[in-house]
Amino acid sequence: MIQQEMIQYQSLDGELNRIEKELKKNDSFIKRKQFKALSQECEENLAKLDAKAQELKNQLAAAKVTMEKITAVIEEHSKEIAALEDIDELNYMNKQLNVQLTDLSNVDKDIKRIIREGEEIAKSFDEINAKLPKIVVAYKKANEDFNKATEEVKPRVTELKLKQAELKKVIEPSLFEIYKKVSEGGLHPVFVPLRDGSRCGGCQMEMPKAVVDTQMAGKSYMRCEHCGRIIYKDE
């Protein structure tokens, strides 16, 4: 027979679990979770936009430097062409000038692309910054409502935990360790009675009677081979 104090402790734990589950079903808890996720998403997007804006800023600075260099070369070529009389040299310099003009056109296109992307980022910034304060306000309201719901059940939770603390003083440590280890795996209740001589009181699955008798020989409990709960003889 499992220590009755252990069963009582488990029963109190069950009520605490039910309270926790009910709180998580609360509309304010659900909304709080949703608004928190939206807020985090906005913050992450702002960070990405900020990084992209900095990248474009660097690209624009580099493009302007390149444009200045190309412009300087074009001016130099133009001066040289004006002083040339040899047709071959003139044709060669014209080709060089056209290459620079093409490069200048490409840089100009790149600058326009950077400016266009910058405008898109600025628009995205404004859109996020417009909705983020509303999300924050909604989150705070949901959080306040959830805190009120939590406060309402707090006296009962405190009462249950105090009762558990008293029970734990007399529960066998080895038994409590088994309970703690199994319950941490998500099973509840952990300790369940043996039903009809061979059936688990938790999952209700049948086990061979011979196996049960062997496992229970000289002991008051055994592990269910189906669900992993601890089965005890309810005598």
Side-chain angles (χ1 to χ4, degrees):
M1 178 67 180
I2 292 294
Q3 199 175 355
Q4 280 303 308
E5 288 82 1
M6 183 72 259
I7 302 304
Q8 291 171 21
Y9 184 100
Q10 176 175 257
S11 178
L12 296 174
D13 229 7
E15 186 173 348
L16 285 170
N17 288 336
R18 285 192 293 275
I19 291 173
E20 184 179 356
K21 287 179 181 179
E22 286 301 315
L23 283 174
K24 287 183 178 180
K25 291 178 182 177
N26 189 292
D27 186 56
S28 59
F29 176 83
I30 296 170
K31 286 182 178 179
R32 185 181 74 161
K33 189 175 180 180
Q34 291 173 339
F35 288 128
K36 184 177 182 180
L38 285 173
S39 178
Q40 288 176 339
E41 182 182 351
C42 286
E43 295 292 348
E44 289 172 1
N45 287 337
L46 285 174
K48 290 178 182 178
L49 289 172
D50 188 56
K52 182 62 178 177
Q54 185 59 48
E55 181 185 339
L56 289 175
K57 183 179 179 181
N58 294 338
Q59 289 179 13
L60 184 60
K64 286 181 177 180
V65 170
T66 301
M67 177 174 275
E68 289 173 1
K69 290 180 179 179
I70 294 173
T71 301
V73 172
I74 289 173
E75 289 176 356
E76 186 65 28
H77 284 353
S78 296
K79 291 177 182 179
E80 292 177 5
I81 289 172
L84 288 175
E85 293 181 359
D86 185 85
I87 296 299
D88 291 337
E89 289 185 1
L90 187 61
N91 288 336
Y92 173 77
M93 290 304 297
N94 276 327
K95 288 180 181 179
Q96 293 299 310
L97 182 60
N98 286 332
V99 169
Q100 296 300 319
L101 289 171
T102 299
D103 289 344
L104 185 63
S105 176
N106 290 335
V107 173
D108 184 60
K109 290 178 182 177
D110 199 33
I111 289 175
K112 289 178 179 178
R113 186 267 306 169
I114 293 170
I115 293 173
R116 185 171 62 254
E117 289 185 16
E119 290 173 347
E120 291 173 357
I121 287 176
K123 183 180 178 181
S124 296
F125 257 118
D126 291 342
E127 289 175 352
I128 294 174
N129 284 322
K131 67 181 181 180
L132 184 56
K134 297 176 183 178
I135 293 173
V136 171
V137 170
Y139 170 78
K140 288 182 178 179
K141 176 64 169 60
N143 191 50
E144 289 173 1
D145 291 343
F146 179 69
N147 287 338
K148 288 179 182 178
T150 302
E151 285 298 315
E152 289 176 3
V153 298
K154 190 174 181 180
R156 181 55 179 165
V157 169
T158 301
E159 179 186 355
L160 293 171
K161 287 185 176 180
L162 286 173
K163 288 181 178 179
Q164 283 188 321
E166 289 300 312
L167 288 169
K168 189 177 177 182
K169 292 177 183 178
V170 295
I171 294 173
E172 296 175 17
S174 59
L175 197 60
F176 188 80
E177 281 303 311
I178 292 173
Y179 175 79
K180 184 179 178 182
K181 184 176 181 180
V182 178
S183 63
E184 285 176 351
L187 280 176
H188 195 87
V190 174
F191 292 102
V192 294
L194 180 67
R195 300 299 188 192
D196 304 323
S198 61
R199 183 162 51 86
C200 173
C203 66
Q204 306 302 319
M205 293 292 289
E206 291 279 352
M207 291 173 289
K209 184 85 167 50
V211 172
V212 173
D213 291 340
T214 300
Q215 291 287 330
M216 287 287 197
K219 296 192 300 183
S220 59
Y221 55 85
M222 63 172 283
R223 193 78 177 262
C224 176
E225 61 183 24
H226 299 291
C227 67
R229 287 181 171 85
I230 307 299
I231 305 171
Y232 65 89
K233 288 182 179 179
D234 191 12
E235 298 174 349

